[in-house]
Short mmCIF file of all heavy atoms in Angstrom, two decimals:
data_model
loop_
_atom_site.label_atom_id
_atom_site.label_comp_id
_atom_site.label_asym_id
_atom_site.label_seq_id
_atom_site.Cartn_x
_atom_site.Cartn_y
_atom_site.Cartn_z
N LEU A 291 141.13 75.71 29.03
CA LEU A 291 140.73 74.67 28.08
C LEU A 291 139.43 75.05 27.38
O LEU A 291 139.27 74.79 26.19
CB LEU A 291 140.56 73.33 28.80
CG LEU A 291 141.87 72.59 29.07
CD1 LEU A 291 141.58 71.23 29.69
CD2 LEU A 291 142.68 72.42 27.80
N ALA A 292 138.51 75.69 28.13
CA ALA A 292 137.23 76.07 27.53
C ALA A 292 137.44 77.06 26.39
O ALA A 292 136.90 76.89 25.29
CB ALA A 292 136.30 76.65 28.59
N VAL A 293 138.21 78.12 26.63
CA VAL A 293 138.41 79.10 25.56
C VAL A 293 139.28 78.54 24.45
O VAL A 293 139.09 78.85 23.28
CB VAL A 293 139.01 80.45 26.04
CG1 VAL A 293 137.95 81.31 26.65
CG2 VAL A 293 140.15 80.24 26.99
N TRP A 294 140.25 77.69 24.83
CA TRP A 294 141.13 77.13 23.80
C TRP A 294 140.34 76.18 22.89
O TRP A 294 140.52 76.20 21.68
CB TRP A 294 142.30 76.41 24.46
CG TRP A 294 143.28 75.87 23.47
CD1 TRP A 294 144.26 76.58 22.82
CD2 TRP A 294 143.37 74.53 22.98
NE1 TRP A 294 144.94 75.77 21.96
CE2 TRP A 294 144.42 74.51 22.03
CE3 TRP A 294 142.67 73.34 23.24
CZ2 TRP A 294 144.78 73.34 21.36
CZ3 TRP A 294 143.03 72.20 22.57
CH2 TRP A 294 144.07 72.20 21.64
N SER A 295 139.45 75.37 23.48
CA SER A 295 138.67 74.41 22.68
C SER A 295 137.75 75.14 21.71
O SER A 295 137.46 74.64 20.63
CB SER A 295 137.83 73.51 23.57
OG SER A 295 138.62 72.96 24.57
N ALA A 296 137.28 76.32 22.11
CA ALA A 296 136.40 77.08 21.23
C ALA A 296 137.13 77.50 19.95
O ALA A 296 136.52 77.71 18.91
CB ALA A 296 135.87 78.31 21.95
N ARG A 297 138.45 77.64 20.03
CA ARG A 297 139.22 78.03 18.86
C ARG A 297 140.62 77.47 19.03
O ARG A 297 141.55 78.18 19.42
CB ARG A 297 139.27 79.56 18.75
CG ARG A 297 139.93 80.05 17.49
CD ARG A 297 140.02 81.55 17.45
NE ARG A 297 140.79 81.97 16.29
CZ ARG A 297 142.11 81.94 16.24
NH1 ARG A 297 142.81 81.54 17.27
NH2 ARG A 297 142.75 82.32 15.14
N PRO A 298 140.81 76.16 18.74
CA PRO A 298 142.11 75.53 19.01
C PRO A 298 143.23 76.24 18.26
O PRO A 298 143.19 76.37 17.04
CB PRO A 298 141.93 74.11 18.51
CG PRO A 298 140.46 73.89 18.52
CD PRO A 298 139.85 75.21 18.18
N THR A 299 144.19 76.72 19.01
CA THR A 299 145.29 77.52 18.49
C THR A 299 146.57 76.79 18.85
O THR A 299 146.65 76.20 19.91
CB THR A 299 145.29 78.89 19.20
OG1 THR A 299 144.00 79.45 19.11
CG2 THR A 299 146.31 79.82 18.62
N THR A 300 147.55 76.83 17.96
CA THR A 300 148.85 76.28 18.31
C THR A 300 149.32 76.99 19.57
O THR A 300 149.38 78.22 19.60
CB THR A 300 149.86 76.53 17.17
OG1 THR A 300 149.26 76.10 15.95
CG2 THR A 300 151.14 75.77 17.42
N ALA A 301 149.61 76.20 20.61
CA ALA A 301 149.95 76.84 21.88
C ALA A 301 151.16 76.17 22.49
O ALA A 301 151.33 74.94 22.37
CB ALA A 301 148.77 76.77 22.85
N LEU A 302 152.01 76.98 23.10
CA LEU A 302 153.17 76.45 23.81
C LEU A 302 153.16 77.05 25.21
O LEU A 302 153.22 78.25 25.38
CB LEU A 302 154.46 76.83 23.08
CG LEU A 302 155.74 76.31 23.73
CD1 LEU A 302 155.81 74.80 23.69
CD2 LEU A 302 156.97 76.90 23.05
N MET A 303 153.05 76.15 26.20
CA MET A 303 153.01 76.62 27.57
C MET A 303 154.24 76.14 28.32
O MET A 303 154.61 74.98 28.23
CB MET A 303 151.75 76.13 28.26
CG MET A 303 151.65 76.55 29.69
SD MET A 303 149.99 76.36 30.32
CE MET A 303 150.27 75.16 31.57
N VAL A 304 154.86 77.05 29.04
CA VAL A 304 156.01 76.73 29.87
C VAL A 304 155.51 76.40 31.26
O VAL A 304 154.67 77.10 31.80
CB VAL A 304 156.95 77.95 29.91
CG1 VAL A 304 157.75 77.98 31.16
CG2 VAL A 304 157.85 77.95 28.69
N THR A 305 155.99 75.29 31.83
CA THR A 305 155.56 74.95 33.19
C THR A 305 156.59 74.05 33.85
O THR A 305 157.39 73.41 33.18
CB THR A 305 154.18 74.26 33.18
OG1 THR A 305 153.79 74.01 34.53
CG2 THR A 305 154.21 72.96 32.42
N HIS A 306 156.61 74.04 35.18
CA HIS A 306 157.42 73.03 35.86
C HIS A 306 156.50 72.08 36.62
O HIS A 306 156.96 71.28 37.41
CB HIS A 306 158.45 73.70 36.78
CG HIS A 306 157.85 74.48 37.89
ND1 HIS A 306 157.73 75.85 37.86
CD2 HIS A 306 157.30 74.11 39.05
CE1 HIS A 306 157.15 76.28 38.95
NE2 HIS A 306 156.86 75.23 39.69
N ASN A 307 155.20 72.19 36.36
CA ASN A 307 154.20 71.40 37.06
C ASN A 307 153.74 70.26 36.14
O ASN A 307 153.02 70.48 35.17
CB ASN A 307 153.04 72.32 37.43
CG ASN A 307 151.96 71.62 38.21
OD1 ASN A 307 151.81 70.40 38.11
ND2 ASN A 307 151.20 72.38 38.97
N LEU A 308 154.18 69.04 36.45
CA LEU A 308 153.92 67.90 35.57
C LEU A 308 152.42 67.60 35.47
O LEU A 308 151.90 67.36 34.38
CB LEU A 308 154.69 66.67 36.08
CG LEU A 308 154.45 65.36 35.32
CD1 LEU A 308 154.77 65.52 33.84
CD2 LEU A 308 155.32 64.25 35.92
N THR A 309 151.72 67.65 36.60
CA THR A 309 150.28 67.36 36.58
C THR A 309 149.55 68.34 35.68
O THR A 309 148.66 67.97 34.91
CB THR A 309 149.71 67.42 38.00
OG1 THR A 309 150.68 66.93 38.90
CG2 THR A 309 148.45 66.63 38.11
N GLU A 310 149.95 69.61 35.78
CA GLU A 310 149.33 70.63 34.93
C GLU A 310 149.57 70.31 33.46
O GLU A 310 148.65 70.35 32.64
CB GLU A 310 149.95 71.99 35.28
CG GLU A 310 149.45 73.14 34.43
CD GLU A 310 149.99 74.47 34.94
OE1 GLU A 310 149.39 74.99 35.88
OE2 GLU A 310 150.99 74.97 34.40
N ALA A 311 150.81 69.92 33.14
CA ALA A 311 151.14 69.58 31.75
C ALA A 311 150.31 68.40 31.28
O ALA A 311 149.79 68.39 30.16
CB ALA A 311 152.63 69.27 31.64
N LEU A 312 150.14 67.40 32.16
CA LEU A 312 149.38 66.21 31.76
C LEU A 312 147.90 66.53 31.59
O LEU A 312 147.21 65.90 30.81
CB LEU A 312 149.56 65.10 32.81
CG LEU A 312 150.93 64.43 32.81
CD1 LEU A 312 151.07 63.50 34.02
CD2 LEU A 312 151.15 63.65 31.52
N THR A 313 147.38 67.48 32.34
CA THR A 313 145.98 67.83 32.23
C THR A 313 145.70 68.60 30.94
O THR A 313 144.66 68.42 30.32
CB THR A 313 145.56 68.74 33.41
OG1 THR A 313 146.19 68.26 34.58
CG2 THR A 313 144.07 68.78 33.59
N LEU A 314 146.63 69.48 30.55
CA LEU A 314 146.32 70.43 29.50
C LEU A 314 146.78 70.03 28.11
O LEU A 314 146.12 70.33 27.12
CB LEU A 314 146.94 71.79 29.84
CG LEU A 314 146.38 72.52 31.05
CD1 LEU A 314 147.21 73.77 31.33
CD2 LEU A 314 144.92 72.89 30.82
N SER A 315 147.95 69.34 28.02
CA SER A 315 148.60 69.35 26.72
C SER A 315 148.38 68.10 25.89
O SER A 315 147.95 67.05 26.39
CB SER A 315 150.09 69.58 26.91
OG SER A 315 150.59 68.58 27.76
N ASP A 316 148.68 68.24 24.59
CA ASP A 316 148.69 67.10 23.67
C ASP A 316 150.05 66.40 23.74
O ASP A 316 150.15 65.21 23.57
CB ASP A 316 148.45 67.57 22.24
CG ASP A 316 147.08 68.20 22.08
OD1 ASP A 316 146.08 67.55 22.45
OD2 ASP A 316 147.00 69.35 21.61
N ARG A 317 151.09 67.19 23.91
CA ARG A 317 152.43 66.60 24.04
C ARG A 317 153.27 67.45 24.98
O ARG A 317 153.06 68.65 25.10
CB ARG A 317 153.10 66.45 22.67
CG ARG A 317 153.28 67.76 21.98
CD ARG A 317 153.73 67.66 20.53
NE ARG A 317 154.32 66.43 20.12
CZ ARG A 317 155.21 66.33 19.12
NH1 ARG A 317 155.61 67.41 18.49
NH2 ARG A 317 155.70 65.18 18.75
N ILE A 318 154.18 66.74 25.64
CA ILE A 318 155.04 67.43 26.60
C ILE A 318 156.47 67.34 26.10
O ILE A 318 156.95 66.24 25.79
CB ILE A 318 154.92 66.79 28.00
CG1 ILE A 318 153.46 66.85 28.47
CG2 ILE A 318 155.84 67.47 28.99
CD1 ILE A 318 153.21 66.10 29.75
N ILE A 319 157.11 68.49 25.98
CA ILE A 319 158.51 68.53 25.59
C ILE A 319 159.31 68.65 26.87
O ILE A 319 159.24 69.65 27.57
CB ILE A 319 158.77 69.72 24.65
CG1 ILE A 319 157.91 69.59 23.40
CG2 ILE A 319 160.23 69.84 24.29
CD1 ILE A 319 157.50 70.89 22.78
N VAL A 320 160.05 67.58 27.18
CA VAL A 320 160.76 67.54 28.46
C VAL A 320 162.16 68.09 28.27
O VAL A 320 162.90 67.65 27.40
CB VAL A 320 160.81 66.10 29.02
CG1 VAL A 320 161.42 66.09 30.41
CG2 VAL A 320 159.42 65.49 29.04
N LEU A 321 162.51 69.09 29.08
CA LEU A 321 163.81 69.72 28.97
C LEU A 321 164.74 69.22 30.07
O LEU A 321 164.32 68.96 31.19
CB LEU A 321 163.69 71.24 29.08
CG LEU A 321 162.93 71.97 27.98
CD1 LEU A 321 163.06 73.46 28.18
CD2 LEU A 321 163.45 71.57 26.61
N ALA A 322 166.03 69.13 29.72
CA ALA A 322 167.05 68.81 30.71
C ALA A 322 167.48 70.10 31.39
O ALA A 322 167.28 71.17 30.85
CB ALA A 322 168.24 68.17 29.99
N PRO A 323 168.07 69.99 32.59
CA PRO A 323 168.57 71.21 33.25
C PRO A 323 169.66 71.88 32.42
O PRO A 323 170.14 71.32 31.45
CB PRO A 323 169.14 70.70 34.58
CG PRO A 323 168.58 69.35 34.76
CD PRO A 323 168.26 68.80 33.42
N ARG A 324 170.06 73.06 32.87
CA ARG A 324 170.99 73.91 32.17
C ARG A 324 172.22 73.20 31.64
O ARG A 324 172.79 72.42 32.35
CB ARG A 324 171.43 75.02 33.14
CG ARG A 324 171.15 76.36 32.57
CD ARG A 324 171.23 77.40 33.63
NE ARG A 324 170.17 78.36 33.39
CZ ARG A 324 170.32 79.67 33.49
NH1 ARG A 324 171.47 80.15 33.85
NH2 ARG A 324 169.34 80.47 33.24
N PRO A 325 172.71 73.51 30.45
CA PRO A 325 172.01 74.28 29.44
C PRO A 325 170.87 73.46 28.83
O PRO A 325 171.06 72.29 28.51
CB PRO A 325 173.08 74.58 28.40
CG PRO A 325 174.10 73.52 28.57
CD PRO A 325 174.06 73.09 30.00
N ALA A 326 169.71 74.09 28.69
CA ALA A 326 168.51 73.36 28.32
C ALA A 326 168.61 72.76 26.92
O ALA A 326 169.06 73.40 25.98
CB ALA A 326 167.32 74.30 28.40
N HIS A 327 168.24 71.50 26.82
CA HIS A 327 168.03 70.86 25.53
C HIS A 327 166.91 69.85 25.73
O HIS A 327 166.51 69.56 26.86
CB HIS A 327 169.31 70.20 25.03
CG HIS A 327 169.88 69.21 26.01
ND1 HIS A 327 170.75 69.59 27.00
CD2 HIS A 327 169.67 67.89 26.16
CE1 HIS A 327 171.07 68.52 27.73
NE2 HIS A 327 170.41 67.47 27.24
N VAL A 328 166.39 69.30 24.63
CA VAL A 328 165.22 68.43 24.74
C VAL A 328 165.67 67.03 25.19
O VAL A 328 166.51 66.41 24.57
CB VAL A 328 164.46 68.35 23.41
CG1 VAL A 328 163.30 67.38 23.52
CG2 VAL A 328 163.98 69.73 23.01
N LEU A 329 165.08 66.57 26.29
CA LEU A 329 165.37 65.24 26.82
C LEU A 329 164.52 64.20 26.10
O LEU A 329 164.95 63.08 25.85
CB LEU A 329 165.03 65.23 28.32
CG LEU A 329 165.86 64.38 29.25
CD1 LEU A 329 167.33 64.76 29.15
CD2 LEU A 329 165.37 64.59 30.68
N GLY A 330 163.30 64.58 25.76
CA GLY A 330 162.41 63.67 25.06
C GLY A 330 161.03 64.26 24.94
O GLY A 330 160.75 65.32 25.50
N ILE A 331 160.17 63.58 24.18
CA ILE A 331 158.81 64.04 23.97
C ILE A 331 157.86 63.03 24.58
O ILE A 331 158.06 61.83 24.41
CB ILE A 331 158.49 64.15 22.45
CG1 ILE A 331 159.53 65.01 21.75
CG2 ILE A 331 157.08 64.64 22.23
CD1 ILE A 331 159.33 66.49 21.87
#
Side-chain angles (χ1 to χ4, degrees):
Chain A
L291 281 184
V293 280
W294 183 80
S295 310
R297 186 183 173 281
T299 308
T300 310
L302 181 65
M303 179 164 117
V304 153
T305 183
H306 63 260
N307 182 335
L308 177 57
T309 324
E310 177 174 277
L312 287 171
T313 320
L314 293 174
S315 57
D316 296 307
R317 60 190 341 207
I318 302 173
I319 300 150
V320 186
L321 295 187
R324 237 165 219 222
H327 56 272
V328 177
L329 213 57
I331 306 279

